[in-house]
């Protein structure tokens, strides 16, 4: 594996005089280091064809976490990530790097190592801003394995504890909404879309915010699930944000149903069909999925204490019900007898 990170002697000087290669402030040095580190991670330098003994000694490398990187560079990065500004500087450097989303294997592994270190440091320090700024890279970067399968970075970071903290997602979502409002204000100012006395009033602002909240909440919930957040964390986040934004009950239910469809909590239930009650449930359709619309109080489904209104019907006796029509699902339940194995998503 090629060495991806440059030595400190290979860092390009910063313009500004005779001593420009030694920035005068700690923040300048940090920004310069992170910029060059990220650039080299994506664009590895070619090894010299005939290195001198001195160069070979300087470029000596040690295997760290399965990577071949210059040890002192990685140590410097870890040290800087213990500093609040250091983590932000890395996040900004990575965010401004212009690259194809599909990386070489070496670049992918190197950036993955750096991102993991920065997120872990942010979680330890309870400082969420850097991790928020790293999310676009986490979800966009990937590499192609020799087998032809695409490896996405977020799938290799699902074990990080930060994703299980409602605090992080709530703060990130509020930050996203602030950014969206600023974009809207700048758009009005740039294009002068309406005269001062004819600009949208508070009601329009509320409508805009609710529309943006609804769209962003769907994206956030899916991102949380993709990063391995537990369903109870997602449900708690979704309910709290819907309440704060005063979204309608219908919209909140739509979002919850979308979450269930993407990452259902599986309920394996055996129900015996009864002469009087049948299975004791009525089916309906929500967003294209067959769901439990109502339960008979004394029926088998209600007595099981596992089935709830709104649960998505996923399987019946091994038959996949995802994508089934309501008519087909009802016909199947009518034809069933004795005990049957159901799988619901709640």
């Amino acid at each position: 594996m090629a060495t991806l990170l440059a030595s400190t002697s290979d860092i390009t000087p910063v313009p500004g005089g005779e001593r420009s290669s030694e920035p005068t402030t700690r923040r300048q040095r940090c920004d310069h280091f992170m910029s060059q580190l990220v650039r080299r991670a994506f664009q590895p330098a070619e090894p010299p064809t005939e290195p001198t003994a001195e160069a070979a000694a300087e470029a000596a490398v040690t295997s760290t976490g399965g990577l071949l990187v210059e040890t002192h560079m990685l140590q410097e990065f870890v040290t800087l990530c213990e500093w609040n500004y250091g983590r932000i500087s890395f996040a900004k450097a990575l965010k401004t790097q212009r690259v194809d989303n599909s990386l070489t294997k070496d670049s992918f592994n190197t950036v993955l190592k750096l991102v993991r270190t920065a997120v872990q440091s942010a979680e330890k320090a309870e400082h969420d801003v850097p991790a928020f700024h790293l999310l676009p890279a986490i979800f966009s970067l990937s590499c192609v394995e020799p087998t032809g399968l695409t490896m996405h970075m977020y799938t290799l970071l699902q074990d990080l504890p930060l994703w299980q903290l409602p605090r992080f997602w709530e703060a990130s979502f509020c930050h996203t909404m602030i950014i969206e409002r600023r974009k809207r204000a700048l758009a009005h100012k740039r294009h002068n879309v309406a005269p001062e006395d004819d600009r949208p009033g508070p009601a329009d602002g509320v409508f805009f915010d609710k529309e943006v909240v609804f769209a962003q909440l769907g994206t956030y919930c899916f991102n949380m699930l993709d990063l391995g957040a537990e369903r109870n964390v997602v449900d708690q986040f979704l309910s709290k944000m819907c309440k704060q934004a005063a979204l309608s009950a219908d919209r909140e239910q739509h979002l919850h149903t979308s979450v269930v469809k993407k990452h259902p909590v599986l309920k394996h239930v055996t129900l015996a069909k009864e002469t009087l009650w049948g299975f004791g449930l009525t089916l309906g359709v929500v967003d294209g999925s067959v769901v439990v619309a109502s339960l008979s109080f004394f029926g088998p489904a209600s007595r099981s204490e596992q089935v709830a209104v709104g649960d998505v019907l996923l399987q019946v006796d091994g038959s996949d019900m995802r994508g089934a029509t309501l008519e087909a699902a009802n016909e199947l339940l009518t034809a069933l007898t004795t005990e049957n194995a159901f799988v619901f998503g709640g």
Side-chain angles (χ1 to χ4, degrees), residues 191-214:
H191 300 292
N192 194 23
V193 294
E196 195 66 39
D197 59 348
D198 191 32
R199 294 200 174 185
D204 178 79
V206 171
F207 176 76
F208 169 82
D209 283 349
K210 288 186 177 181
E211 290 299 308
V212 175
V213 166
F214 179 73

Side-chain angles (χ1 to χ4, degrees), residues 6-44:
S7 65
T8 50
S9 61
D10 192 39
I11 293 179
T12 306
V14 182
E18 293 180 353
R19 298 182 59 81
S20 61
S21 61
E22 297 179 8
T24 57
T25 70
R26 187 186 180 195
R27 288 192 174 194
Q28 283 178 316
R29 290 195 299 270
C30 179
D31 289 341
H32 189 53
F33 175 85
M34 292 299 182
S35 177
Q36 296 300 307
L37 180 70
V38 169
R39 181 177 64 83
R40 285 308 183 99
F42 286 101
Q43 299 175 1

Side-chain angles (χ1 to χ4, degrees), residues 173 177 206-218 237-256:
F173 185 77
M177 292 306 302
V206 171
F207 176 76
F208 169 82
D209 283 349
K210 288 186 177 181
E211 290 299 308
V212 175
V213 166
F214 179 73
Q216 289 289 346
L217 276 177
F237 164 81
L238 181 56
S239 297
K240 185 173 182 178
M241 294 301 102
C242 285
K243 182 178 181 180
Q244 288 185 358
L247 290 188
S248 67
D250 288 344
R251 289 206 151 184
E252 182 175 353
Q253 182 59 50
H254 175 89
L255 290 168
H256 275 292

Side-chain angles (χ1 to χ4, degrees), residues 7 33 41 150 165 226 231 240 291 302 304 321 340 345:
S7 65
F33 175 85
T150 300
L165 300 180
D226 285 339
R231 263 290 304 279
K240 185 173 182 178
V291 302
S302 181
S304 74
M321 302 303 294
N340 301 272

